[in-house]
Structure formats: C-alpha cells, structure tokens
Amino acid sequence: ASGRVNYDLARKLGAAAVVQATVTPGGALHVALHDVARREVLQVRDFALGGAAPSGAWRQGVHRAADEV
C-alpha cells in the first residue's frame, strides 16, 4: 500500500472522514484524520502505546488513542 488515502473511493462509500493509523519505528501510533470532501488532512497526532505489541499495555494504548479520535 502506498499510504495515500483514496478519497474518490471513500466518497463513493459515503465516508465523511478517513482515519489513517500507522505504528512509528519508535513504537507510537501516528494517526491522521482526513476530510474526504476537502481531500485534506484535518488533524495529525501521535499516541504513546506503552508497551510492545501485542501486550496488554500496547492494546490499551491503542484503545485510548481510538477513544480520543
């Protein structure tokens, strides 16, 4: 995957936004929120995950990040 958001497909599926998440080399969760209609990034944030994948602390970190998004 290229890492690019397919805005045309997202719009066709009726999405107003796309959340794109990747784990950084340092172990953080990098999250970008995209506005489909504007075809642009609205917000970017990194979240500490607090442990190695797939430990309980890591999973809790992912859940905390999802709650904030």
Side-chain angles (χ1 to χ4, degrees):
S2 69
R4 290 192 203 192
V5 171
N6 186 334
Y7 291 109
D8 293 328
L9 177 59
R11 185 175 28 115
K12 184 177 179 181
L13 294 172
V18 172
V19 176
Q20 183 180 32
T22 55
V23 177
T24 68
L29 185 65
H30 180 80
V31 179
L33 177 63
H34 298 259
D35 183 310
V36 173
R38 292 167 140 179
R39 301 174 74 93
E40 67 183 20
V41 176
L42 293 177
Q43 187 175 8
V44 176
R45 186 161 171 203
D46 290 329
F47 297 90
L49 295 179
S55 70
W58 184 86
R59 287 193 309 273
Q60 287 294 352
V62 171
H63 285 284
R64 278 192 302 277
D67 289 345
E68 290 193 40
V69 171

